């Protein structure tokens, strides 16, 4: 069974006392602030009072599941930043904060009168994360930067898929997710600088460069060989056997025999120890050079057996193989359940929402699930009260349409 948890708003966590103001919308910024929120930071989402974060509009069966997952442990402050009163309130909030996350086009924050020079004059220790498609400078700085464009431009799509078919984009916000993880790491580095007496600084976080970084040595390989990465489906350009293989009952198995000992173990398991000394398959270089023949032998053996029969052999031989899981099979997997990889979290609208647990797991100071994703403006009053706004001022801002309470 998937474990069911209860939110614990008082649970201590490593980043207690860190206040993060998140001006971003959609995925990358929410990914940065999610990592910080899960580890205890007070993350305050600044949202438009009328529509909120556009992530709320990504719905499944009428439920904003993306929002419920990626806005957990956060607060919502619904405030209109167009009037000066709204920007003044944001400045007051940032004076008490350690981190600001934004994903406007370069120069927009400056046009609002909220550029780094202004913010650092008010709060010298503030860390400012600026997320864009292509960076704060360079010829493409003004381009809108959705992750799809970056996944295409980075080289990922060109090497993803099969050689006889068009390039394939990932079926998820991969560039945003990768940049978000880099961004959370960069925040921790910058917090360490401030902790040691340094100043706050600007983190220039484009989506493009993190995406290029995870593609490994593709640029170096091209410079050396003059050859562009090929689309090879589920095969690897550097190791063999490594592929997805069909079973006799219509299921699939993934195998990665990426070290010599594992390849030899696989060959013995399928009854072909002769392949170990076969000149075509003796080394990894030999196997990559003769990849069709190597894959053909492995695929034929697997294809004659059911998933269960294959896995019984591979598990006994300690071969690095696993079934390809559909989502329902993942949910039913005993390891996933025993580890609490996914948990059922309470939700007022849906009863409960299935979501990933805190990642990574710290042995002594683990992060906590403290609260569900907030309704729009749920924390407007409490956040502004925390920086000294009294009932009269809050009523005035509400009457002027500057803030909204949830």
């Amino acid at each position: 069974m998937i474990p069911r948890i209860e939110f614990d708003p008082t649970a201590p966590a490593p980043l207690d006392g860190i206040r993060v103001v998140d001006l971003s919308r959609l995925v990358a910024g929410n990914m940065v602030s999610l990592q910080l929120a899960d580890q205890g930071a007070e993350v305050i989402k600044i949202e438009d009072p009328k529509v909120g974060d556009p992530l709320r509009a990504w719905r499944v069966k009428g439920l904003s599941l993306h929002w419920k997952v990626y806005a957990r442990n956060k607060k919502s402050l619904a405030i209109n930043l167009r009037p000066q009163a709204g920007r003044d309130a944001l400045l007051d909030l940032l004076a008490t904060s350690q981190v600001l996350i934004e994903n406007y086009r370069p120069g927009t924050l400056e046009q609002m009168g909220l550029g780094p020079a202004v913010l650092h004059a008010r709060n010298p220790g503030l860390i400012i994360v600026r997320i864009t498609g292509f960076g704060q400078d360079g010829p493409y700085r003004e381009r809108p930067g959705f992750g799809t464009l970056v996944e295409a431009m980075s080289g990922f799509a060109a090497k993803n898929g099969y050689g006889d078919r068009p390039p394939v984009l990932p079926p998820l916000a991969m560039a945003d997710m990768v940049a978000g993880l880099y961004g959370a790491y960069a925040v921790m580095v910058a917090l360490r600088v401030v902790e040691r007496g340094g100043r706050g600084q600007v983190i220039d976080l484009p989506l493009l460069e993190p995406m290029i970084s995870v593609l490994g040595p593709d640029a170096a390989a091209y410079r050396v060989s003059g050859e562009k990465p090929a689309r090879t489906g589920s095969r690897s350009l550097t190791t063999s056997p490594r592929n997805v293989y069909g079973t006799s009952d219509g299921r699939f198995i993934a195998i990665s025999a990426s070290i010599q000992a594992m390849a030899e173990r696989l060959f013995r398991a399928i009854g072909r120890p002769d392949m170990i000394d076969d000149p075509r398959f003796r080394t990894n270089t030999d196997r990559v050079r003769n990849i069709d023949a190597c894959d053909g032998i492995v695929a034929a053996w697997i294809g004659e057996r059911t998933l269960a029969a294959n896995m019984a052999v591979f598990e006994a031989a300690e071969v690095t193989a696993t079934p390809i899981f559909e989502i329902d099979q993942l949910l039913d997997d005993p390891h996933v359940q025993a580890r609490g990889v996914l948990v059922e979290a309470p939700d007022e609208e849906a009863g409960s929402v299935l979501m990933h647990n805190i990642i990574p797991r710290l042995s002594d100071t683990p992060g906590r699930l403290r609260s569900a994703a907030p309704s729009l403006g749920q924390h407007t009053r409490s956040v502004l009260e925390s920086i000294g706004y009294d009932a009269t001022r809050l009523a005035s801002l509400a009457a002027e349409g500057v803030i909204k309470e949830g």
Side-chain angles (χ1 to χ4, degrees), residues 266-274 301:
L266 171 63
F267 296 154
R268 293 189 184 97
I270 65 173
R272 292 296 305 271
D274 58 292
W301 191 90

Side-chain angles (χ1 to χ4, degrees), residues 5-16 18 33-43 72-75 358 366-373:
I5 60 98
E6 296 296 331
F7 291 116
D8 183 357
T10 63
L15 296 185
D16 284 341
I18 300 297
S33 60
L34 175 68
Q35 310 314 307
L36 305 175
D38 279 356
Q39 299 299 333
E42 179 193 22
V43 173
R72 70 189 189 190
N73 286 339
K74 301 179 185 180
K75 297 179 178 179
I358 301 292
R368 302 289 187 185
L369 291 174
R370 300 187 313 281
S371 62

Side-chain angles (χ1 to χ4, degrees), residues 158 161 181 192 317 320 385 403-404:
L181 294 173
R192 176 62 170 152
T320 44
E385 284 178 341
I403 63 172
K404 173 186 177 180

